[in-house]
Each structure stands twice: as C-alpha cells, then as structure tokens.
Short mmCIF file of all heavy atoms in Angstrom, two decimals:
data_model
loop_
_atom_site.label_atom_id
_atom_site.label_comp_id
_atom_site.label_asym_id
_atom_site.label_seq_id
_atom_site.Cartn_x
_atom_site.Cartn_y
_atom_site.Cartn_z
N PRO A 24 -19.97 -95.29 24.18
CA PRO A 24 -21.03 -95.73 25.09
C PRO A 24 -22.41 -95.36 24.53
O PRO A 24 -22.56 -94.36 23.83
CB PRO A 24 -20.73 -94.96 26.38
CG PRO A 24 -19.27 -94.65 26.30
CD PRO A 24 -18.97 -94.44 24.84
N PRO A 25 -23.44 -96.14 24.85
CA PRO A 25 -24.77 -95.87 24.30
C PRO A 25 -25.32 -94.48 24.64
O PRO A 25 -26.05 -93.89 23.85
CB PRO A 25 -25.64 -96.97 24.94
CG PRO A 25 -24.68 -98.04 25.33
CD PRO A 25 -23.40 -97.35 25.68
N ASP A 26 -24.98 -93.98 25.81
CA ASP A 26 -25.52 -92.68 26.24
C ASP A 26 -24.54 -91.54 25.95
O ASP A 26 -24.68 -90.44 26.51
CB ASP A 26 -25.86 -92.70 27.72
CG ASP A 26 -24.63 -92.96 28.60
OD1 ASP A 26 -23.60 -93.41 28.07
OD2 ASP A 26 -24.72 -92.70 29.81
N PHE A 27 -23.56 -91.77 25.09
CA PHE A 27 -22.52 -90.76 24.84
C PHE A 27 -23.13 -89.46 24.31
O PHE A 27 -22.84 -88.37 24.81
CB PHE A 27 -21.50 -91.31 23.84
CG PHE A 27 -20.36 -90.38 23.57
CD1 PHE A 27 -19.27 -90.32 24.41
CD2 PHE A 27 -20.37 -89.55 22.46
CE1 PHE A 27 -18.22 -89.46 24.17
CE2 PHE A 27 -19.33 -88.68 22.20
CZ PHE A 27 -18.24 -88.64 23.07
N THR A 28 -23.98 -89.56 23.31
CA THR A 28 -24.59 -88.36 22.73
C THR A 28 -25.46 -87.63 23.74
O THR A 28 -25.45 -86.39 23.81
CB THR A 28 -25.42 -88.72 21.49
OG1 THR A 28 -24.57 -89.35 20.52
CG2 THR A 28 -26.04 -87.48 20.86
N GLN A 29 -26.19 -88.39 24.56
CA GLN A 29 -27.04 -87.76 25.56
C GLN A 29 -26.20 -87.00 26.60
O GLN A 29 -26.60 -85.93 27.07
CB GLN A 29 -27.90 -88.82 26.27
CG GLN A 29 -29.03 -89.39 25.41
CD GLN A 29 -28.54 -90.44 24.43
OE1 GLN A 29 -27.36 -90.78 24.42
NE2 GLN A 29 -29.45 -90.94 23.60
N GLN A 30 -25.03 -87.55 26.94
CA GLN A 30 -24.16 -86.87 27.89
C GLN A 30 -23.65 -85.54 27.33
O GLN A 30 -23.64 -84.52 28.02
CB GLN A 30 -22.98 -87.76 28.25
CG GLN A 30 -23.35 -88.98 29.10
CD GLN A 30 -22.14 -89.83 29.43
OE1 GLN A 30 -21.00 -89.41 29.24
NE2 GLN A 30 -22.38 -91.04 29.92
N LEU A 31 -23.26 -85.56 26.06
CA LEU A 31 -22.80 -84.32 25.42
C LEU A 31 -23.94 -83.31 25.32
O LEU A 31 -23.74 -82.12 25.55
CB LEU A 31 -22.24 -84.61 24.02
CG LEU A 31 -20.89 -85.30 23.93
CD1 LEU A 31 -20.42 -85.35 22.48
CD2 LEU A 31 -19.85 -84.59 24.78
N ALA A 32 -25.13 -83.79 24.98
CA ALA A 32 -26.28 -82.88 24.86
C ALA A 32 -26.61 -82.27 26.22
O ALA A 32 -26.96 -81.08 26.33
CB ALA A 32 -27.48 -83.63 24.31
N GLY A 33 -26.50 -83.06 27.30
CA GLY A 33 -26.75 -82.53 28.63
C GLY A 33 -25.73 -81.48 29.03
O GLY A 33 -26.07 -80.45 29.62
N LEU A 34 -24.46 -81.73 28.68
CA LEU A 34 -23.42 -80.76 28.95
C LEU A 34 -23.68 -79.47 28.19
O LEU A 34 -23.53 -78.36 28.73
CB LEU A 34 -22.06 -81.34 28.57
CG LEU A 34 -20.82 -80.48 28.82
CD1 LEU A 34 -20.74 -80.05 30.28
CD2 LEU A 34 -19.56 -81.25 28.42
N SER A 35 -24.10 -79.60 26.95
CA SER A 35 -24.41 -78.42 26.13
C SER A 35 -25.56 -77.62 26.73
O SER A 35 -25.52 -76.39 26.77
CB SER A 35 -24.76 -78.86 24.70
OG SER A 35 -25.10 -77.75 23.89
N ARG A 36 -26.57 -78.31 27.24
CA ARG A 36 -27.71 -77.62 27.86
C ARG A 36 -27.29 -76.88 29.13
O ARG A 36 -27.78 -75.78 29.40
CB ARG A 36 -28.83 -78.62 28.17
CG ARG A 36 -29.61 -79.08 26.94
CD ARG A 36 -30.88 -79.82 27.35
NE ARG A 36 -30.58 -81.01 28.12
CZ ARG A 36 -30.38 -82.22 27.60
NH1 ARG A 36 -30.42 -82.37 26.28
NH2 ARG A 36 -30.14 -83.27 28.36
N GLU A 37 -26.41 -77.48 29.91
CA GLU A 37 -25.94 -76.80 31.13
C GLU A 37 -25.24 -75.49 30.79
O GLU A 37 -25.46 -74.46 31.43
CB GLU A 37 -24.98 -77.72 31.89
CG GLU A 37 -25.66 -78.89 32.59
CD GLU A 37 -24.65 -79.73 33.35
OE1 GLU A 37 -23.66 -79.16 33.85
OE2 GLU A 37 -24.85 -80.96 33.44
N ILE A 38 -24.39 -75.55 29.79
CA ILE A 38 -23.68 -74.33 29.38
C ILE A 38 -24.65 -73.30 28.83
O ILE A 38 -24.56 -72.10 29.12
CB ILE A 38 -22.59 -74.67 28.33
CG1 ILE A 38 -21.54 -75.59 28.95
CG2 ILE A 38 -21.93 -73.40 27.80
CD1 ILE A 38 -20.52 -76.11 27.97
N ALA A 39 -25.63 -73.76 28.05
CA ALA A 39 -26.64 -72.85 27.51
C ALA A 39 -27.41 -72.16 28.63
O ALA A 39 -27.80 -70.99 28.52
CB ALA A 39 -27.59 -73.61 26.59
N GLY A 40 -27.64 -72.89 29.73
CA GLY A 40 -28.31 -72.28 30.87
C GLY A 40 -27.50 -71.14 31.46
O GLY A 40 -28.05 -70.10 31.85
N TRP A 41 -26.19 -71.30 31.55
CA TRP A 41 -25.33 -70.21 32.03
C TRP A 41 -25.33 -69.05 31.05
O TRP A 41 -25.33 -67.88 31.45
CB TRP A 41 -23.91 -70.73 32.23
CG TRP A 41 -23.68 -71.32 33.59
CD1 TRP A 41 -24.16 -72.53 34.04
CD2 TRP A 41 -22.94 -70.76 34.67
NE1 TRP A 41 -23.77 -72.73 35.34
CE2 TRP A 41 -23.01 -71.68 35.75
CE3 TRP A 41 -22.21 -69.60 34.83
CZ2 TRP A 41 -22.38 -71.43 36.97
CZ3 TRP A 41 -21.58 -69.35 36.05
CH2 TRP A 41 -21.67 -70.27 37.10
N LEU A 42 -25.34 -69.35 29.76
CA LEU A 42 -25.34 -68.28 28.76
C LEU A 42 -26.63 -67.47 28.79
O LEU A 42 -26.64 -66.30 28.42
CB LEU A 42 -25.15 -68.88 27.36
CG LEU A 42 -23.77 -69.49 27.08
CD1 LEU A 42 -23.78 -70.23 25.74
CD2 LEU A 42 -22.69 -68.40 27.08
N ALA A 43 -27.71 -68.08 29.25
CA ALA A 43 -29.00 -67.39 29.31
C ALA A 43 -29.13 -66.51 30.55
O ALA A 43 -30.08 -65.73 30.65
CB ALA A 43 -30.14 -68.41 29.28
N ARG A 44 -28.21 -66.61 31.48
CA ARG A 44 -28.28 -65.79 32.69
C ARG A 44 -28.06 -64.32 32.37
O ARG A 44 -27.44 -63.97 31.36
CB ARG A 44 -27.20 -66.23 33.68
CG ARG A 44 -27.42 -67.56 34.35
CD ARG A 44 -26.30 -67.81 35.34
NE ARG A 44 -26.48 -69.05 36.10
CZ ARG A 44 -25.73 -69.40 37.12
NH1 ARG A 44 -24.72 -68.61 37.50
NH2 ARG A 44 -25.95 -70.53 37.77
N PRO A 45 -28.56 -63.43 33.23
CA PRO A 45 -28.24 -62.00 33.06
C PRO A 45 -26.74 -61.78 33.08
O PRO A 45 -26.00 -62.45 33.81
CB PRO A 45 -28.91 -61.35 34.28
CG PRO A 45 -30.01 -62.30 34.65
CD PRO A 45 -29.48 -63.66 34.35
N ARG A 46 -26.28 -60.85 32.27
CA ARG A 46 -24.85 -60.63 32.08
C ARG A 46 -24.26 -59.72 33.16
O ARG A 46 -24.97 -58.95 33.82
CB ARG A 46 -24.62 -60.01 30.71
CG ARG A 46 -25.02 -60.92 29.55
CD ARG A 46 -23.93 -61.91 29.24
NE ARG A 46 -22.77 -61.19 28.75
CZ ARG A 46 -22.63 -60.77 27.50
NH1 ARG A 46 -23.58 -61.01 26.60
NH2 ARG A 46 -21.54 -60.13 27.13
N ALA A 47 -22.94 -59.79 33.28
CA ALA A 47 -22.25 -58.97 34.27
C ALA A 47 -22.27 -57.49 33.90
O ALA A 47 -22.21 -56.63 34.78
CB ALA A 47 -20.81 -59.45 34.42
N GLU A 48 -22.36 -57.18 32.60
CA GLU A 48 -22.29 -55.78 32.17
C GLU A 48 -23.43 -54.95 32.75
O GLU A 48 -23.22 -53.81 33.21
CB GLU A 48 -22.30 -55.68 30.65
CG GLU A 48 -20.98 -56.01 29.98
CD GLU A 48 -20.65 -57.50 30.03
OE1 GLU A 48 -21.59 -58.32 30.10
OE2 GLU A 48 -19.45 -57.84 30.00
N VAL A 49 -24.65 -55.51 32.75
CA VAL A 49 -25.78 -54.74 33.29
C VAL A 49 -25.61 -54.56 34.79
O VAL A 49 -26.06 -53.56 35.36
CB VAL A 49 -27.12 -55.43 32.96
CG1 VAL A 49 -27.29 -56.75 33.68
CG2 VAL A 49 -28.30 -54.52 33.28
N LEU A 50 -24.93 -55.50 35.45
CA LEU A 50 -24.68 -55.39 36.88
C LEU A 50 -23.63 -54.31 37.15
O LEU A 50 -23.74 -53.53 38.09
CB LEU A 50 -24.22 -56.73 37.42
CG LEU A 50 -24.06 -56.85 38.94
CD1 LEU A 50 -25.38 -56.60 39.64
CD2 LEU A 50 -23.52 -58.23 39.31
#
C-alpha cells in the first residue's frame, strides 16, 4: 500500500514514546 512505510514509521514512533517514559526501576 502507498502508506505502508508511513504506517510502520508511526508504529515505531509510538513504541519510541513508551521507551522514553520514566522507567519502573526508579519507581
């Protein structure tokens, strides 16, 4: 599909957002 790469890039950004959150260890 034409937007296939954009969909994967969006999914990657969502995961990166979770990775940037404060970690459970400090909690």
Side-chain angles (χ1 to χ4, degrees):
D26 62 344
F27 183 83
T28 301
Q29 288 79 2
Q30 290 180 13
L31 287 187
L34 182 56
S35 178
R36 285 192 298 271
E37 287 181 32
I38 297 173
W41 273 72
L42 292 172
R44 288 183 176 188
R46 296 278 295 278
E48 283 72 26
V49 68
L50 187 61

